[in-house]
């Protein structure tokens, strides 16, 4: 039975969500496609209907993690003075080291050691996220 476009999109979102959490918690090399698909409640065979490769999934998961982190930052610093916002954002960033919850974590420090051996596209996505982080803090410091 063919899935509707909406069901296909929902499946893709579940895969991306599971992958983002698992990459941040367990690392890139330790997280396999089979375990991601199982966590998403799907069969391994369906992976390639949504993503060309594990590398594409890593890139999209990195972007999703960054988007989530920046949304949390934006919500937390809204209405604060620039100095208060900067202190809060730095505290939030550093606080990820103490928690076990991977939601809102920055991919760079959590996956940094693996990026050296990663595909150039994956490294590029990580560096793009890092640039956004630097720009975010620069804006707060102005």
């Amino acid at each position: 039975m063919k899935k509707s476009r909406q069901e296909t999109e929902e499946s893709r979102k579940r895969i991306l969500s599971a992958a983002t959490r698992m990459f941040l918690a367990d690392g890139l090399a330790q997280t396999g496609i089979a375990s991601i698909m199982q966590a998403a409640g799907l069969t391994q065979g369906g992976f390639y209907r949504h993503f060309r490769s594990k590398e594409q999934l890593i890139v999209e998961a990195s972007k999703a993690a960054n988007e989530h982190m920046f949304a949390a930052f934006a919500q937390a610093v809204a209405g604060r003075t620039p100095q208060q916002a900067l202190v809060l954002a730095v505290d939030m960033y550093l606080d990820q080291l103490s928690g076990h919850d991977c939601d809102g974590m920055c991919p760079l420090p959590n996956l940094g050691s693996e990026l050296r051996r990663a595909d150039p596209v994956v490294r590029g996505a990580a560096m793009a996220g890092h640039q956004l982080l630097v720009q975010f803090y620069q804006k707060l410091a102005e």
Side-chain angles (χ1 to χ4, degrees):
M1 179 196 300
K2 189 170 177 155
K3 287 186 172 185
S4 72
R5 192 177 300 250
Q6 183 179 357
E7 290 172 318
T8 300
E9 185 59 33
E10 287 299 317
S11 294
R12 190 176 201 289
K13 286 179 184 177
R14 287 199 329 259
I15 296 167
L16 187 57
S17 177
T20 301
R21 280 191 320 274
M22 294 173 77
F23 288 144
L24 290 172
D26 303 326
L28 302 176
Q30 295 298 316
T31 304
I33 291 171
S35 60
I36 292 168
M37 295 301 284
Q38 183 179 14
L42 301 164
T43 62
Q44 183 176 351
F47 175 82
Y48 292 100
R49 281 186 226 129
H50 300 279
F51 300 94
R52 289 184 311 276
S53 64
K54 182 179 178 183
E55 287 76 18
Q56 180 193 8
L57 178 58
I58 293 169
V59 167
E60 291 191 33
S62 179
K63 288 178 184 176
N66 279 315
E67 287 171 6
H68 184 81
M69 179 181 66
F70 288 121
F73 283 170
Q75 183 178 14
V77 304
R80 300 191 186 261
T81 67
Q83 185 169 357
Q84 290 172 331
L86 181 59
V87 169
L88 180 58
V90 169
D91 285 346
M92 288 175 67
Y93 189 84
L94 295 176
D95 191 50
Q96 69 184 320
L97 298 173
S98 65
H100 300 293
D101 184 10
C102 292
D103 279 348
M105 293 175 80
C106 180
L108 196 58
N110 291 289
L111 303 174
S113 64
E114 293 184 77
L115 293 173
R116 188 170 141 244
R117 292 176 291 284
D119 180 90
V121 174
V122 170
R123 284 195 310 269
M127 290 311 300
H130 177 70
Q131 280 298 111
L132 290 173
L133 187 64
V134 169
Q135 291 167 357
F136 173 80
Y137 283 117
Q138 279 179 324
K139 275 186 176 178
L140 291 178
E142 292 176 346

